[in-house]
Amino acid sequence: MNEPILKTENLTHVYSPGTPFEMTALNGVDLEIRKGEILGIIGHTGSGKSTLIQHLNALIKPTSGRVLLEGRDINESKSAIRQARSRVGLVFQYPEYQLFEETVYKDIAFGPKNMKLSPEEIDRRVREAAGFVGVEELLDRSPFDLSGGQKRRVAIAGVIAMMPEVLVLDEPMAGLDPGGCREIMDNILSYHDKTGAAVVVVTHSMEEAARRADRMVVLNHGTVAMSGAPEEIFARGDELRKMGLAAPVMTELSQRLRALGVELPGTVYTVEQMAAALLELEGGRGRA
Amino acid sequence: MDDTAIKIENLTFFYPSEEEGQAPEDVLSGVDLTVEKGSFTAILGHNGSGKSTLARHLNALLLPKGGSVTVFGMDTRDEELTLEIRRRVGMVFQNPDNQIVSNVVEEDVAFAPENLGIPTPEIRTRVDEALKTVGMYEFRTHAPHLLSGGQKQRIAIAGVLAMRPKCVVFDEPTAMLDPQGRRDVMRIIGRMKKELGTTVILITHHMEEAAMADRVVVMSDGQIAMDGAPGEVFTRVEELEALGLTVPDTVKLMWELRQKGVDVPLDTLDVEECAKALAEHFKKK
Ligand SMILES: Nc1ncnc2c1ncn2[C@@H]1O[C@H](COP(=O)(O)OP(=O)(O)O)[C@@H](O)[C@H]1O
Ligand SMILES: Nc1ncnc2c1ncn2[C@@H]1O[C@H](COP(=O)(O)OP(=O)(O)O)[C@@H](O)[C@H]1O
Ligand SMILES: [Mg+2]
Ligand SMILES: [Mg+2]
């Protein structure tokens, strides 16, 4: 198992403390992100997902507790914050609303420029990042002329261009059509596969989260309710439902099939796994 | 004839071209669609296929450039009927935050009927009724902005229900909601159809939601590409995928199995049906 790159220790965040609107959004969260892993974070609306991930590159500060990047408190000094901002890339929810430059190229270049890289390096990174999300052809266009899915990919490229070792995305698939979801997921995975960066995806979509996550963390009312491999999490469908979530359709199907006496091997939570399991059964039947 | 809620004939629409001298492109071209009263129709289609543009024609927010849209016998081009049309056809949008206008839940729900000039005692009854239908009555004195996304969306739906519309058009109402929020919205839609007899049009990217409708209409590039019962449309797996869409996971599974020669039915739209069909197949000796 890989060593952790980023950790939160007993992280607590209270909004508007001391006012009638005081709200404890996170309460004693211990989270570990390991080098090169894909971590899925799921939780009902208001469970604290967005608050949590904004701590990961020091956009907001803990009320108490710490965030450690390779053991160093990221809020310790200005230079630590700066380091965290370039090594941990954060893609907000609906990031397309934050595009503002005249061209796609300039928008993607914004982050690397702030990192004070050489013009050649900036150019190289913009083109590489555009390649990851498939917008090379659009570099000279105005971001405002693009479709919703394209805009979102440009916004993601802007973060990828900083070459973060941890790429964090807040509900990157929300509101896209199925084709758009698949493209974004593929883009994220290709960045992960080619660079070995850790990826943290906040999502509601259990199927999508299930497809590639190595580990999952479930937030409930500001605390970590579960964490483990997807199959461990999804096996607890009733608890998930009580937390306003859902188990993947295939997990539910496998539970029903077992109840109906169909013997399935292992844990199944994607269509591919279910098809493979059933084909094995079919093969067994054929030989019998 | 009287069973018709919506009749769209040869509808063409374009937005004004941004660049001068350039001919605007059709966003809807030659759409024909008739929707029966009390039915539940899901509309699918890739982003930009024209779903929202079509939806905005149904309560005269947009008017046809060619062809016509008739709702409950009223031509949307007749300006004198606009108010009456908006009273009959309610709209619920994707982002609940943009639909909340007041600081107290019940005032928010009363907003639309007040605007339509409905007398105050009548509004009271309607607001209470609408809040009960969406399961938010206990929250009537709360501040909407402190509620969850799913709860806000239910308030927005109550606001539409308080107008007692005959038809409600939902434009991706669950896109921003978590699974519980989505389940709640779908349950409310079910109640509206069954208990209130409301004609429901649901635009969605969630195939599982569309599978609950009586009819699925698929749009592509401003035209209707497919139209039929969910059991029929969702079995056309390759066609849907070519249009940038998918099918419910249960259908996808059966399709994969059939590709490999396993003899199972394709049209299992929900988990229960799918489990039954698979159990039957695999328990046969
Ligand atoms: N800027 C803020 N001020 C006050 N409360 C907030 C703010 N942002 C979030 N909250 C509250 O904190 C809680 C957690 O919110 P959030 O982190 O956005 O959850 P999630 O992303 O899981 O939906 C919610 O109750 C939310 O209303
Ligand atoms: N207000 C508008 N002005 C100009 N073009 C628009 C406007 N709204 C939508 N469009 C364009 O019309 C087409 C169809 O959009 P829309 O009806 O929103 O599709 P959908 O809801 O299926 O995603 C798209 O190409 C979109 O860019
Ligand atoms: Mg959030
Ligand atoms: Mg739309």
Side-chain angles (χ1 to χ4, degrees):
Chain A
M1 195 170 292
N2 290 347
E3 56 188 294
I5 178 163
L6 194 58
K7 264 170 92 162
T8 71
E9 268 181 6
N10 202 15
L11 182 64
T12 295
H13 191 90
V14 182
Y15 285 111
S16 321
T19 75
F21 301 107
E22 180 169 309
M23 170 76 218
T24 304
L26 294 174
N27 193 355
V29 170
D30 292 319
L31 179 79
E32 208 175 79
I33 296 155
R34 298 174 192 151
K35 284 189 177 156
E37 78 170 339
I38 301 180
L39 177 70
I41 298 183
I42 60 178
H44 61 85
T45 2
S47 60
K49 303 180 298 295
S50 297
T51 304
L52 173 61
I53 64 170
Q54 289 174 72
H55 280 87
L56 299 180
N57 72 349
L59 273 183
I60 55 180
K61 302 214 171 351
T63 305
S64 65
R66 299 193 302 166
V67 182
L68 305 172
L69 180 60
E70 288 186 326
R72 182 178 176 200
D73 187 336
I74 65 169
N75 292 296
E76 165 191 286
S77 64
K78 279 222 168 92
S79 80
I81 291 179
R82 206 172 320 119
Q83 252 215 33
R85 296 265 161 86
S86 64
R87 295 179 63 188
V88 181
L90 187 56
V91 179
F92 290 100
Q93 200 171 355
Y94 298 97
E96 55 275 25
Y97 293 123
Q98 293 172 21
L99 299 175
F100 62 94
E101 297 278 9
E102 305 125 57
T103 65
V104 167
Y105 185 99
K106 285 186 182 169
D107 242 308
I108 301 177
F110 183 79
K113 264 193 186 147
N114 275 351
M115 293 167 76
K116 313 228 181 322
L117 301 170
S118 70
E120 299 76 39
E121 178 63 10
I122 293 174
D123 185 66
R124 190 186 70 75
R125 288 196 177 195
V126 169
R127 292 178 192 284
E128 192 175 19
F132 274 118
V133 301
V135 298
E136 305 98 316
E137 313 285 295
L138 305 175
L139 287 172
D140 297 328
R141 298 264 294 273
S142 158
F144 303 101
D145 292 343
L146 308 181
S147 76
Q150 288 171 332
K151 279 188 205 162
R152 186 160 311 169
R153 274 146 57 207
V154 168
I156 293 175
V159 175
I160 284 182
M162 297 194 285
M163 292 284 150
E165 292 154 71
V166 184
L167 176 64
V168 184
L169 305 107
D170 198 351
E171 305 199 22
M173 266 99 58
L176 296 183
D177 60 19
C181 290
R182 213 173 306 132
E183 267 165 5
I184 295 257
M185 198 65 203
D186 289 347
N187 296 158
I188 297 168
L189 292 176
S190 97
Y191 180 70
H192 168 266
D193 293 344
K194 295 210 182 99
T195 64
V199 171
V200 180
V201 185
V202 170
T203 174
H204 285 146
S205 162
M206 306 302 140
E207 280 73 15
E208 215 44 72
R211 226 174 51 159
R212 275 294 297 269
D214 301 308
R215 248 169 13 101
M216 306 200 70
V217 166
V218 181
L219 283 187
N220 191 32
H221 298 299
T223 63
V224 174
M226 303 181 194
S227 80
E231 59 265 32
E232 293 168 335
I233 305 287
F234 295 139
R236 299 159 72 178
D238 288 342
E239 283 168 82
L240 288 173
R241 265 184 292 275
K242 281 200 195 99
M243 289 188 265
L245 301 171
V249 172
M250 288 300 124
T251 311
E252 213 182 301
L253 179 63
S254 70
Q255 284 163 355
R256 281 184 193 251
L257 282 176
R258 289 205 182 92
L260 290 168
V262 178
E263 296 298 330
L264 285 174
T267 323
V268 174
Y269 51 92
T270 67
V271 171
E272 293 79 28
Q273 291 167 343
M274 180 61 96
L278 291 172
L279 284 172
E280 216 178 294
L281 271 188
E282 178 81 0
R285 260 168 30 107
R287 280 194 299 276
Chain B
M1 154 100 220
D2 275 335
D3 287 343
T4 305
I6 295 163
K7 191 164 184 68
I8 300 172
E9 286 176 300
N10 200 18
L11 170 62
T12 297
F13 185 82
F14 49 82
Y15 293 97
S17 169
E18 280 181 19
E19 275 156 66
E20 229 168 298
Q22 209 175 20
E25 255 181 72
D26 281 357
V27 166
L28 296 174
S29 44
V31 172
D32 287 302
L33 184 69
T34 304
V35 175
E36 228 179 90
K37 278 184 189 163
S39 65
F40 174 8
T41 305
I43 301 183
L44 302 175
H46 58 82
N47 281 339
S49 57
K51 305 180 297 297
S52 296
T53 303
L54 181 65
R56 290 194 190 101
H57 276 84
L58 300 181
N59 73 345
L61 285 173
L62 293 176
L63 298 177
K65 302 280 191 199
S68 65
V69 175
T70 312
V71 293
F72 301 102
M74 297 176 284
D75 189 322
T76 60
R77 288 169 301 188
D78 186 343
E79 275 174 37
E80 296 198 343
L81 296 175
T82 304
L83 199 63
E84 184 59 20
I85 289 171
R86 301 239 167 107
R87 203 175 289 190
R88 300 280 177 88
V89 183
M91 296 269 274
V92 176
F93 298 99
Q94 184 179 110
N95 190 343
D97 288 319
N98 299 343
Q99 301 173 70
I100 303 281
V101 291
S102 162
N103 292 325
V104 182
V105 164
E106 58 186 4
E107 285 174 16
D108 198 84
V109 176
F111 184 80
E114 265 167 10
N115 265 3
L116 292 176
I118 291 158
T120 311
E122 166 76 15
I123 289 180
R124 179 79 259 163
T125 323
R126 288 187 179 201
V127 167
D128 289 353
E129 220 174 67
L131 281 170
K132 283 176 189 163
T133 304
V134 302
M136 288 297 289
Y137 185 67
E138 317 86 281
F139 290 87
R140 63 193 178 283
T141 58
H142 286 226
H145 66 274
L146 294 178
L147 300 174
S148 76
Q151 290 172 323
K152 282 183 211 163
Q153 192 60 293
R154 281 146 74 191
I155 300 301
I157 296 173
V160 169
L161 287 182
M163 297 192 301
R164 300 223 176 120
K166 291 184 165 182
C167 172
V168 178
V169 182
F170 291 86
D171 193 350
E172 297 188 38
T174 64
M176 299 179 78
L177 307 186
D178 60 14
Q180 183 62 50
R182 283 169 49 192
R183 284 195 288 266
D184 290 337
V185 168
M186 290 311 295
R187 206 170 300 136
I188 293 167
I189 289 178
R191 281 186 78 171
M192 284 168 54
K193 176 180 145 66
K194 216 183 286 157
E195 293 168 27
L196 307 174
T198 314
T199 307
V200 175
I201 313 273
L202 170 68
I203 297 173
T204 183
H205 288 320
H206 294 287
M207 304 303 142
E208 280 74 16
E209 293 173 5
M212 297 179 201
D214 304 318
R215 174 183 181 188
V216 175
V217 172
V218 179
M219 296 204 51
S220 180
D221 298 328
Q223 295 184 318
I224 292 180
M226 299 166 87
D227 181 358
E232 193 257 315
V233 170
F234 282 129
T235 50
R236 293 155 71 180
V237 178
E238 278 158 323
E239 253 175 284
L240 282 167
E241 287 185 346
L243 295 174
L245 301 174
T246 55
V247 297
D249 277 359
T250 49
V251 176
K252 179 83 188 170
L253 172 70
M254 298 308 230
W255 188 79
E256 299 271 349
L257 292 173
R258 287 165 63 101
Q259 293 296 102
K260 298 273 158 60
V262 183
D263 180 26
V264 286
L266 188 50
D267 60 346
T268 55
L269 293 177
D270 65 35
V271 177
E272 198 181 326
E273 273 177 64
C274 184
K276 271 195 200 141
L278 286 171
E280 194 169 311
H281 176 82
F282 283 99
K283 294 186 78 178
K284 260 189 293 200
K285 282 282 135 131

